[in-house]
């Protein structure tokens, strides 16, 4: 999130190289070692998150004791399982053990239910994956063709529009974009067409069985989310694709391909794009934190039934264990995403494979 | 050739610099420029629109600007809040007049304001940008809020760049176990989910009853703590790539100390990258602070920032009935664009310098053989 | 009262005969609402058709499905749809109506009420509803000391005992009190729970039950099929922070005069709203059928009402039930063993009174509610016939604020000076009498923008008077947790209200379930608290409403001057609903005009459905 989007005009190479491990031992070992490296990383990060979450004052015991919805036996069992009266390091160890062995993330102070339920159940996990995944895919689906088009026709109308749009989207925060979309939709009275704003479905589809209309309604509710959460990403990728594609197109072998008489489209798509894929994957990997923050903001503005929304609610309610579960979820999401990006890079780029 | 290009680039971007300079000066002098304190409530003037400053009314023209005293009325039928001016009276503006006391720049006690209403007893008020839901002067609030919004970018910059440069530099230059430890720390920092962690830090500080300034500074500090990892990694990579270069080895062979090598050869190399990153940081940080404050976990009452002011404008009712509440959004957009403009300029300069360096190297290379 | 019961039975007989003549399908003992029939209290409403889904919004997640222990409106807005009691209030006339009870007889001395249940009543799972359930609900749940019931305090008799509830036969319940208890009839209207589902959670029925097991029963993890009630709807689905879906109860006992079983709407979806701005947008977009708007939304709604086809009702004349207040925690720091001086200050009525003079209610009415609110000083709702601002029981409201604690900065500051709360260290803020700094943290539930604005106005005036007041909004469930565990500093919130002041007994009694600002008063009550408790008792002991009015007058003045709760302002009635909602004025879950009432939810219908 802090690392800003690269602009087409930057000439500084932002290619990420995956960490080098066991350079002489071949690809499968590399993959295995990368996967294995993720585990201590996640442990370290969850430990930091554990400490952060305990920065807030007030201890779990007092909070839960005062809650009449929690039975005494549940409370005692909780205290024993999570070591509420033990030192913080021991508490972390116990928490880790409970999570790994039993999937028990603790209790929610707000609802007196297990933290896992509060965060992931009622379909939240599925919706989160759907929203985040679709945002990324749609952004890519827009970015790549746009990038290719503007690379092939530099300084054209579309290119200039793209540059201007990038500039504008850079200065409009995601929440404002979301709000503007909401106001726009209500102003043009989509309600008259029977279309809703906010949430994932129109009220009439809640609890209704799946049908094609319901899917269509879902897409209608999703597009403002894609716009708010993914527009800045998408336009950045488009410009990056344009930049790296232009570089690739200027390469000698492409010149050779052109002079060989290959069709322009073939040149672009087959040769140049494959080489531009590397920075694109890197960039996608780098954008994952922004995807998380964008979907969090979108979840709050549009009131989506996702993990991010439940996390936001828990942060406000100082619901410690739910917050921790949420942070762990985002951490794992990011780590797995980065790992996938790294492995994709290796798969795509023979040069890195050789180096590794 | 490069220098000339630089001048042109900066000339073209002069507008951005001017805008930012004016904004910064205005925000620093907020108490002087605004007639009222930013937190003074006049509940009877809630949602009052920007006061019309006139030179002409039914009684004729006037050389001096004036306003009509007004009151706000609730229409019993439409529930609108309307302004009702007393057009029979004029209250003239006075410039450099005495008004509510304050401390200029927080230090110098003063009570002179740029403009005030001459007739304090009439109860007339001049709200340049209108008033908010509690009757506070939006003009004063925008200027005071700008202090926070304009400072967050440079603040993060001044913390992050040196930190990333130092840690990345150490990591790349020293190698060994320092490199290992710093790399691992960097990985952890990069793996922390950004916005969620900031939300947690913000909420924890609010729960600890930290003052709004401390709270914001700490949240931004957390931003730095998360962000240094990625930058340090790139710095490290760059330093690694030149550590083995001939001219470094030559310098070492000639007995130059580490510090000298660092300053003369290594740092300029990474300075380019750092400069470019810096320019991209500021707009991003400003928007991040605006988002956090809008969500209620950045700046809190009684402090304010442009993002927090926008939170008061988030309802349809506000936008339709009181659109002046969106003015802080304009300021935010303008300053973010200005910073982005400046950033663009710096990047183009760096790009020019890089290609210039490259061409110089190439020309040098050509000059050497034979 | 006996005559009224007689009228009730005769009236029912007449109606039944009339229905028989129409060939209606309503079961013999059903409750029939003659909607639209002239000469009845229901004349202004229209009969409707079944079908459709009603969409409404509610602020805040429900915390449980348990009506006995529920304390906040996010929960009760749901449980009011799920459970009914023996009697309820007519939503139009505010008279007592039979609900699950068909009729009742009151003895001449008022100490015995015999309720006759309707025959063939069934719970939503098909099990029969009998007097055993009534007895179970009262004896084993509400009056059980193990259960954290909110209703127990309002059933406390003047001598400290509780009414005796017994089943005479399967369809008859007798309630006996040793002395007259004026609110007895209405107090018996508490919502009933099924014995066959919950007997195992209380020790009085099941010796092996864990102590207090019922307090955690009917939590959010309960399967919808286990949430069994006798109200118009049953729980179908709940997704936290999103919605609650209620489906029609097939065994509901209320019918209209045409023989149609109520409720008219097949489903009710209660959208859980965290953001009132989004709710407004969704209402304008026709996704919600009704909306409870904020004062700041009214202009937007009024401008569109005619063109969009919805009604915006804003009625300052409608009597209002409820309260909004500011409170100081008189037990602050007690559990941690610190802040003794601050605690002593908060416990000093003089401080609270001085602070009450800093509450600028006029500014709140003007700025926050755009003039559509009234000043409050008394705990009793303005709509109640016992409100002390009236000339007598049920008379018109005449008096203004008699407490003498209206907004006055000068008097407030003088009061603070008299208490030695002055600035000793020269930092511009007043300090505690011992010289240590005084910091007041004022909280409310975040997202309730009207409360938040009230807090900001209070903080502003207090700061002008030299008190360092910091505003700290808290998330709703956190705020409620802090409030009822005595872990707050100063708070602004509100209660729903009702007709009978006795419902406040649990608020002002230090041992009461709804009391929160002086929890240690349960062991060591102040003199005022003891006096208030005795006044509540005396107020129920007389059947003469005029005598009760006098007692409650004294009670209200005493409570207001003690300033345990400093009342602020209460908004006028406002509600918006689309034209396609038939009987739309009944759609407001907070009831109109009687506060929470049980029947209104049944009466709305979709006018777009073909009859």
């Amino acid at each position: 999130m802090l690392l800003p989007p690269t602009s087409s005009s930057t000439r500084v190479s932002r290619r990420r190289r995956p960490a080098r491990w066991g350079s002489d031992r071949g690809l499968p070992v590399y993959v295995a070692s990368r996967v294995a490296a993720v585990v201590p990383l996640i442990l370290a990060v969850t430990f930091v998150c554990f400490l952060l979450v305990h920065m807030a004052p007030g201890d779990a015991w007092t909070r839960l004791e005062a809650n009449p919805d929690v039975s005494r036996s549940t409370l005692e069992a909780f205290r024993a399982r999570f070591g509420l009266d033990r030192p913080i390091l021991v508490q972390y160890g116990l928490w880790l053990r409970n999570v790994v062995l039993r999937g028990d993330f603790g209790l929610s102070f707000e609802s007196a239910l297990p933290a896992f339920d509060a965060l992931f159940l009622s379909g939240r996990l599925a919706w989160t994956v759907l929203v985040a995944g679709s945002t990324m895919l749609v952004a890519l689906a827009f970015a790549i063709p746009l990038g290719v088009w503007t690379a092939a026709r530099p300084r054209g109308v579309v290119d200039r529009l793209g540059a201007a749009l990038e500039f504008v989207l850079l200065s409009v925060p995601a929440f404002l974009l979301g709000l503007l979309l909401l106001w726009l939709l209500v102003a043009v009275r989509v309600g008259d067409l029977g279309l809703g704003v906010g949430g994932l479905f129109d009220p009439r589809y809640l609890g209704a069985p799946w049908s094609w209309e319901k899917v269509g309604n879902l897409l209608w509710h999703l597009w403002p989310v894609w716009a708010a959460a993914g527009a800045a990403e998408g336009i950045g990728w488009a410009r990056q694709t344009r930049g790296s594609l232009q570089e690739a197109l200027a390469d000698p072998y492409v010149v050779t391909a052109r002079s060989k008489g290959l069709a322009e489209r073939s040149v672009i798509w087959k040769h140049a794009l494959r080489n531009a894929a590397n920075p694109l994957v890197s960039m996608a990997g780098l954008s994952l934190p922004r995807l998380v923050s964008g979907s969090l903001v979108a979840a709050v503005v549009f009131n989506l039934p996702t993990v991010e929304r439940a996390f936001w609610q828990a942060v406000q309610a100082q619901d410690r264990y739910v917050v921790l579960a949420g942070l762990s979820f985002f951490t794992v999401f990011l780590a797995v995403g980065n790992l996938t990006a790294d492995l994709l890079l290796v798969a795509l780029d023979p040069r890195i494979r050789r180096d590794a | 050739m490069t220098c000339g290009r630089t001048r042109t680039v900066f000339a073209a971007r002069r507008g951005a610099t001017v805008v930012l300079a004016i904004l910064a000066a205005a925000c620093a002098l907020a108490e002087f420029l605004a007639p009222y304190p930013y937190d003074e409530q006049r509940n009877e003037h809630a949602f009052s629109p920007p006061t019309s400053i006139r030179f002409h009314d039914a009684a004729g023209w006037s050389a001096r600007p004036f306003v009509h005293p007004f009151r706000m009325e609730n229409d019993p039928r439409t529930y609108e809040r309307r302004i009702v001016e007393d057009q029979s009276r004029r209250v003239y503006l006075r410039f450099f007049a005495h008004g509510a006391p304050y401390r200029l720049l927080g230090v110098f006690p003063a009570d002179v304001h740029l403009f005030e209403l001459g007739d304090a007893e009439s109860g007339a008020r001049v709200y340049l940008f209108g008033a908010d839901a509690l009757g506070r002067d939006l003009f004063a609030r925008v200027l005071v809020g700008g202090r926070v919004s304009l400072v967050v970018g440079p603040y993060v910059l001044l913390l992050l760049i040196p930190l990333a440069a130092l840690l990345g530099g150490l990591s790349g230059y020293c190698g060994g176990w320092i490199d290992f430890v710093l790399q691992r720390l960097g990985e952890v920092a990069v793996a922390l989910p950004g916005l969620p962690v900031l939300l947690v830090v913000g909420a924890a500080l609010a729960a600890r009853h930290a003052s709004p300034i401390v709270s914001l500074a700490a949240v931004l500090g957390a931003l730095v703590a998360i962000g240094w990892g990625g930058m340090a990694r790139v710095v490290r990579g760059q330093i690694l790539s030149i550590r083995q270069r001939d001219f470094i080895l030559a310098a070492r062979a000639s007995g130059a100390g580490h510090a000298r090598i660092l300053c003369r050869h290594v740092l300029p190399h990474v300075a380019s990258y750092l400069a470019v990153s810096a320019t991209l940081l500021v707009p991003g940080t400003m928007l991040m602070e605006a988002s956090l404050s809008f969500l209620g976990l950045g700046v809190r009452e009684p402090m304010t920032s442009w993002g927090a002011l926008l939170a008061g404008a988030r309802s349809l009712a506000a936008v339709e009935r009181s659109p002046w509440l969106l003015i802080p959004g304009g300021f935010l957009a303008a300053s973010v664009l200005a910073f982005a403009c400046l950033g663009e300029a710096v990047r183009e300069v760096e790009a020019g310098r890089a290609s210039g360096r490259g061409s110089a190297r190439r020309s040098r290379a050509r000059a050497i053989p034979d | 009262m006996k005559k009224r019961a007689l009228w009730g039975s005769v009236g029912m007989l007449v109606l039944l005969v009339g229905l028989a003549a129409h060939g209606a399908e309503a079961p013999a003992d059903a409750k029939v609402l003659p909607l639209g029939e002239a000469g009845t209290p229901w004349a202004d409403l229209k009969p409707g058709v079944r079908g459709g889904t009603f969409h409404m919004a509610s602020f805040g997640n429900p915390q449980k499905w348990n009506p006995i222990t529920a304390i906040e409106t996010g929960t009760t807005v749901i449980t009011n749809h799920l459970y009914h009691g023996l009697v309820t209030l007519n939503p139009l006339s505010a008279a007592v109506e039979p609900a699950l009870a068909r009729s009742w007889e009151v003895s001449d001395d008022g100490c015995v009420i015999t309720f006759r249940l309707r025959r063939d009543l069934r719970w939503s799972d098909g099990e029969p509803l009998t007097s055993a359930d009534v007895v179970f609900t009262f004896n084993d749940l509400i009056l059980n000391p193990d259960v954290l019931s909110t209703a127990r305090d309002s059933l406390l008799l003047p001598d400290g005992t509780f009414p005796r509830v017994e089943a005479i036969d399967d369809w008859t319940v007798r309630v006996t009190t040793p002395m007259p208890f004026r609110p007895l009839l209405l107090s018996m209207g508490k919502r009933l729970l099924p014995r066959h589902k919950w007997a195992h959670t209380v020790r009085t029925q099941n010796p092996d039950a864990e102590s207090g097991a019922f307090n955690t029963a009917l939590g959010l993890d309960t399967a919808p099929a286990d949430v069994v009630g006798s109200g118009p709807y049953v729980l179908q689905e709940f997704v936290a922070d999103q919605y609650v879906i209620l489906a029609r109860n097939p065994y509901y006992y209320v019918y209209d005069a045409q023989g149609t079983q109520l409720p008219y709407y097949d489903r009710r979806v209660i959208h859980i709203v965290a953001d009132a701005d989004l709710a407004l947008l969704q209402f304008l977009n026709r996704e919600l059928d009704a909306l409870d708007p904020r004062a700041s939304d009214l202009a937007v709604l009024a401008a569109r009402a005619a063109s969009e086809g919805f009604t915006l009702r804003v009625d300052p004349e409608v009597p209002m039930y409820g309260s909004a207040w500011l409170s100081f925690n008189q037990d602050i720091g007690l559990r941690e063993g610190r802040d003794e001086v601050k605690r002593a200050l908060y416990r000093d009525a003089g401080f609270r009174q001085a602070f009450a003079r800093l509450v600028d209610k006029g500014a709140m009415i003007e700025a926050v509610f755009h003039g559509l609110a009234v000043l409050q000083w008394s705990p009793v709702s303005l709509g109640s016939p016992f409100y002390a601002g009236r000339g007598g029981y049920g008379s018109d409201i005449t008096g203004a604020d008699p407490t003498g604690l209206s907004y006055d900065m000068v008097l407030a500051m003088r009061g603070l000076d008299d208490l030695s709360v002055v600035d000793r260290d020269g930092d511009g803020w007043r300090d505690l009498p011992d010289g240590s700094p005084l910091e007041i943290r004022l909280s409310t539930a975040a997202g309730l923008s009207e409360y938040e604005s009230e807090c900001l106005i209070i903080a502003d005036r207090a700061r002008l008077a030299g008190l360092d007041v910091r505003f700290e909004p808290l998330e709703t469930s956190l705020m409620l947790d802090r409030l009822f565990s005595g872990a707050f500093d100063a708070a602004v919130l509100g209660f729903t209200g009702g007709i009978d002041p006795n419902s406040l007994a649990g608020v002002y009694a230090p041992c009461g379930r709804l009391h929160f600002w002086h929890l240690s008063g349960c062991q060591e009550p102040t003199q005022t608290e003891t006096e208030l408790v005795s006044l509540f008792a005396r107020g129920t002991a007389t059947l003469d409403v005029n005598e009760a009015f006098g007692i409650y007058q004294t009670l209200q003045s005493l409570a207001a001057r003690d300033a345990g709760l400093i009342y602020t302002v209460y908004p006028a009635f406002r509600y918006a609903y689309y034209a396609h909602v038939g009987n739309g004025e009944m759609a407001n879950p907070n009831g109109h005009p009687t506060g929470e009432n049980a029947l209104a939810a049944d009466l709305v219908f979709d006018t777009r459905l073909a009859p």
Side-chain angles (χ1 to χ4, degrees), chain B residues 6-332:
Chain B
T6 311
R7 239 184 273 134
T8 314
V9 161
F10 270 117
R13 304 287 190 251
R14 193 177 293 159
T17 326
V18 165
V19 163
L20 285 174
I22 291 180
L23 278 177
C27 293
L29 300 173
E31 292 92 348
F32 164 71
L33 291 174
Y36 312 113
Y38 79 102
D39 54 356
E40 187 183 57
Q41 292 183 17
R42 287 290 162 99
N43 301 124
E44 64 272 21
H45 289 150
F47 294 115
S48 111
T51 317
S52 313
I53 299 182
R54 301 167 192 271
F55 291 89
H56 165 79
D57 68 356
W61 286 89
S62 158
R64 289 193 296 156
F66 63 90
V67 300
H68 290 304
F70 69 91
R71 62 173 206 285
M72 296 300 293
E73 234 179 40
N74 297 308
D75 185 314
R77 263 187 336 103
T78 64
Y79 311 113
E80 283 176 347
R81 215 165 145 70
R82 274 194 323 245
I83 183 169
V84 176
E85 284 185 328
D86 177 6
Q87 306 220 316
S88 64
R89 287 172 49 205
R90 294 178 174 189
V91 183
Y92 290 96
L93 253 56
R94 284 194 327 200
F95 294 91
F96 299 99
H98 293 273
Y102 60 92
R103 285 182 172 274
L104 188 66
L105 301 175
V107 178
F108 310 107
D111 69 349
V112 178
H113 294 269
L114 177 64
F115 64 98
E116 273 273 1
L117 284 185
D119 185 4
E121 294 78 40
S122 73
R125 307 268 283 184
V126 53
Y127 297 112
L128 208 57
F129 288 171
D132 72 355
L134 291 172
R136 295 178 290 201
D137 180 17
L138 193 62
F139 179 58
R141 289 179 77 70
V142 165
L143 291 181
V144 169
R147 289 178 179 171
V148 172
S149 300
L150 288 173
V151 154
V152 293
Y155 169 79
V156 167
L157 196 73
L158 287 175
L159 284 183
L160 185 57
I161 299 286
L163 188 68
L166 178 71
L167 294 179
L170 275 177
S171 191
Y173 194 73
C174 302
W177 65 270
I178 298 183
D179 181 20
F180 183 78
V181 166
L182 285 177
Q183 260 203 301
R184 299 290 86 79
L185 283 178
E187 276 174 19
V188 171
V190 167
L192 278 170
L195 182 60
V197 166
L198 291 182
L199 291 178
V200 172
V201 171
L205 287 168
R208 283 191 170 283
H209 312 300
S211 84
I213 302 185
V214 166
S215 188
L216 186 64
V219 168
L220 294 174
L223 196 65
V224 169
I226 297 172
W228 71 267
M231 233 186 232
R233 183 192 292 179
V234 177
V235 169
R236 172 185 177 274
Q238 293 201 319
I239 289 187
L240 276 180
S241 75
I242 65 162
R243 199 167 65 158
Q244 303 305 320
R245 287 283 193 84
D246 293 340
F247 62 97
I248 298 284
L249 294 173
R252 291 286 305 279
S254 73
H258 286 296
R260 191 178 159 83
I261 296 176
L262 268 171
C263 291
R264 286 202 60 187
H265 300 286
V266 175
L267 277 184
H269 220 81
V270 301
S272 159
Y273 163 70
L274 288 175
V276 170
S277 293
T279 65
L280 297 167
L281 253 183
V282 175
T285 310
M286 287 187 71
L287 291 176
M288 174 60 60
E289 183 275 321
S291 304
L292 284 176
S293 300
F294 181 85
L295 292 174
L297 287 177
V299 145
R300 287 174 288 123
E301 291 274 349
M303 282 221 63
T304 188
S305 77
W306 290 335
L309 289 173
L310 277 177
R314 74 183 285 178
S315 72
L316 186 64
V319 169
E320 272 197 4
R321 304 282 136 195
S322 329
W324 53 90
L325 294 176
L326 289 168
I327 290 177
F331 277 78
L332 184 67

